[in-house]
Amino acid sequence: MNFVLTSCGISMLTNYLRNFDIFPSEVYKYSNLKKEDIDENFLVKFDKALDTLKSEIINFTNEELKRLSAELNALITFYDGKFDNKDIHMLFHTDTYIGERVAEILNYFLQSKGLNSLKFKAKDLNTASLEEFQISLSDVIKDLSEILNGYKGNYEIIFNLTGGFKSVNSFLQTMATLWADKSIYIFESSNELLIIPKLPLKIDEEIFIKNFDIFRALEIGIDVNVPENIPLSIVNKIDNEYVLSPWGEILWQKIKNEVYKKQLVNPISDKIIYSQNFKKQFENFSPQEKYQINKTIDKLEKYIVFKENLKSLRVHELGGEISKKYNLECYPFDGNDSRRLYCNKKDEKIILETIDSHLK
């Protein structure tokens, strides 16, 4: 089974919209804008054309689809015209109105073929400003890494980078070297599919392992002193505060993912304490459960420093009979898992006692 991430660009629009007297220069003019910022006359004409395309696309032949869209050209070629409905498709698009509409059309087409398809909007990501683009990448990389981590091992991860914007694809290609099993392309001058297998790339992890808690703190948002030996290609300094660069974020998420699946991370704050029972219990969890528990500890760090009680964490006091043993609980796992992390708060410190089924 495959998990196929497809980067969405605007080739579909520049090819199709000429039929409606909408030319590439107009599409590019509005390609980085939200709906409310687009000229109303253009928007009416554009939406009408896209609605027509949406009604027509399911009846296009494979050759028509390949001429229409760079993204579909690569997918149809990869599958030799016969999609596998066991695969999962994710459509990666910019946080713009035109990007949203392109992903909507592609998503509609794939689902009309009975495929499991979903959209991934790269929040705040557009290509209008280099500075804003780089700032938004860090959050995008975190979210995307989390998704890929959930599929890795059960699916072959494939990045389809035939479409999409060059600036977006440059960072996706970097992610692909670490996360994907292969990348696929079709160049405009050729109809042949280029498949790039995962490269035998070895990351120099030493800088991350030696400064592991510093990188954790940077991700959480805790102010720390960053050693001078950490290169500026990994961290950026903005207004006297350090943040991970997009490229540092890609490397960090990969290394963090591997470490979190193996070992219990140390508390950053002296206000978090692990009981012996909790440490012993941790060793018996699966790699994915260990990863989730370590993520929960990071959320607790954020809760302590910033008083941010995420819905996925939900730290709350306990009452009734159970409060005689534990006075605090939170959620250690994502999703619908009913287990709880039971704690005791004492002298402003949170002692992590045990993970157990929902006790009442």
Side-chain angles (χ1 to χ4, degrees):
M1 295 186 294
N2 299 314
F3 177 91
V4 185
L5 182 144
T6 294
S7 178
C8 299
I10 56 176
S11 66
M12 175 191 298
L13 305 182
T14 57
N15 293 335
Y16 181 79
L17 296 183
R18 293 176 188 271
N19 302 324
F20 296 83
D21 293 327
I22 301 175
F23 298 99
S25 58
E26 287 184 277
V27 179
Y28 286 118
K29 179 180 178 181
Y30 299 113
S31 63
N32 282 299
L33 301 182
K34 302 283 191 178
K35 184 176 182 178
E36 59 269 22
D37 298 321
I38 297 175
D39 177 77
E40 189 173 340
N41 291 328
F42 172 84
L43 198 58
V44 171
K45 186 168 58 171
F46 175 81
D47 280 340
K48 184 177 180 180
L50 265 288
D51 289 342
T52 302
L53 173 58
K54 189 173 181 179
S55 67
E56 292 180 345
I57 193 170
I58 58 174
N59 296 317
F60 284 7
T61 66
N62 281 345
E63 288 307 312
E64 288 173 325
L65 291 167
K66 289 165 77 172
R67 288 195 296 271
L68 171 72
S69 161
E71 298 86 354
L72 290 178
N73 187 12
L75 289 176
I76 291 169
T77 304
F78 176 72
Y79 285 101
D80 196 21
K82 299 175 183 177
F83 289 102
D84 188 337
N85 60 13
K86 294 190 296 294
D87 289 356
I88 295 176
H89 293 265
M90 175 171 282
L91 301 167
F92 182 103
H93 65 91
T94 55
D95 191 0
T96 63
Y97 182 66
I98 286 179
E100 180 78 42
R101 289 301 317 260
V102 168
E104 174 193 327
I105 300 291
L106 291 171
N107 195 48
Y108 174 75
F109 169 77
L110 292 173
Q111 290 184 352
S112 75
K113 300 300 180 183
L115 303 177
N116 189 342
S117 173
L118 59 153
K119 298 184 296 178
F120 178 92
K121 178 167 70 175
K123 190 174 183 300
D124 297 328
L125 186 68
N126 64 68
T127 59
S129 162
L130 178 60
E131 183 178 355
E132 291 178 7
F133 176 76
Q134 290 187 328
I135 290 172
S136 65
L137 277 184
S138 290
D139 285 336
V140 170
I141 292 165
K142 290 177 193 175
D143 293 341
L144 189 54
S145 298
E146 188 74 21
I147 292 169
L148 294 173
N149 178 48
Y151 289 101
K152 193 75 174 171
N154 296 316
Y155 289 80
E156 185 169 38
I157 308 295
I158 299 171
F159 277 34
N160 172 21
L161 304 180
T162 303
F165 296 95
K166 290 181 180 179
S167 52
V168 174
N169 283 0
S170 65
F171 103 84
L172 284 177
Q173 181 56 68
T174 304
M175 281 202 76
T177 60
L178 300 175
W179 288 93
D181 295 295
K182 65 179 70 166
S183 300
I184 61 174
Y185 303 85
I186 287 184
F187 293 105
E188 293 180 9
S189 59
S190 171
N191 290 321
E192 294 184 6
L193 187 71
L194 175 64
I195 299 178
I196 300 179
K198 185 173 184 178
L199 301 175
L201 180 69
K202 182 170 176 58
I203 306 170
D204 185 359
E205 300 181 355
E206 185 177 2
I207 194 74
F208 291 96
I209 298 301
K210 283 187 175 180
N211 300 283
F212 196 79
D213 285 342
I214 288 175
F215 285 104
R216 284 180 61 213
L218 286 175
E219 180 176 357
I220 294 167
I222 299 172
D223 189 25
V224 289
N225 292 321
V226 176
E228 293 183 359
N229 67 321
I230 296 181
L232 294 178
S233 60
I234 296 176
V235 295
N236 290 331
K237 192 174 184 180
I238 302 175
D239 296 330
N240 293 320
E241 290 187 6
Y242 286 96
V243 295
L244 286 167
S245 73
W247 319 119
E249 191 74 62
I250 291 172
L251 295 171
W252 164 243
Q253 290 299 327
K254 181 64 175 176
I255 292 166
K256 183 188 82 170
N257 173 65
E258 293 171 354
V259 172
Y260 276 27
K261 286 182 176 180
K262 295 176 182 176
Q263 64 191 57
L264 181 63
V265 297
N266 296 319
I268 296 174
S269 168
D270 60 3
K271 297 184 183 299
I272 293 179
I273 298 172
Y274 302 154
S275 70
Q276 289 301 317
N277 177 69
F278 175 77
K279 288 190 283 188
K280 183 177 179 181
Q281 191 180 26
F282 179 87
E283 297 303 318
N284 295 321
F285 284 107
S286 70
Q288 193 59 36
E289 287 173 323
K290 289 178 179 178
Y291 175 83
Q292 293 282 322
I293 293 166
N294 281 323
K295 268 183 52 187
T296 298
I297 292 165
D298 286 349
K299 292 175 188 176
L300 277 172
E301 300 278 9
K302 203 166 190 175
Y303 169 74
I304 289 169
V305 175
F306 302 108
K307 309 303 179 188
E308 184 177 343
N309 195 359
L310 298 173
K311 186 178 180 181
S312 60
L313 179 66
R314 196 170 173 258
V315 178
H316 57 279
E317 294 182 358
L318 295 169
E321 189 66 24
I322 191 177
S323 64
K324 296 177 182 178
K325 191 171 185 181
Y326 310 114
N327 58 33
L328 212 63
E329 75 169 15
C330 64
Y331 296 163
F333 304 111
D334 292 342
N336 297 320
D337 197 303
S338 63
R339 287 173 292 178
R340 301 290 194 267
L341 170 54
Y342 291 99
C343 311
N344 279 308
K345 189 171 184 180
K346 185 177 180 181
D347 300 327
E348 299 303 314
K349 297 182 186 295
I350 297 177
I351 304 167
L352 279 55
E353 302 283 8
T354 190
I355 293 175
D356 206 338
S357 56
H358 191 191
L359 305 175
K360 296 181 181 180

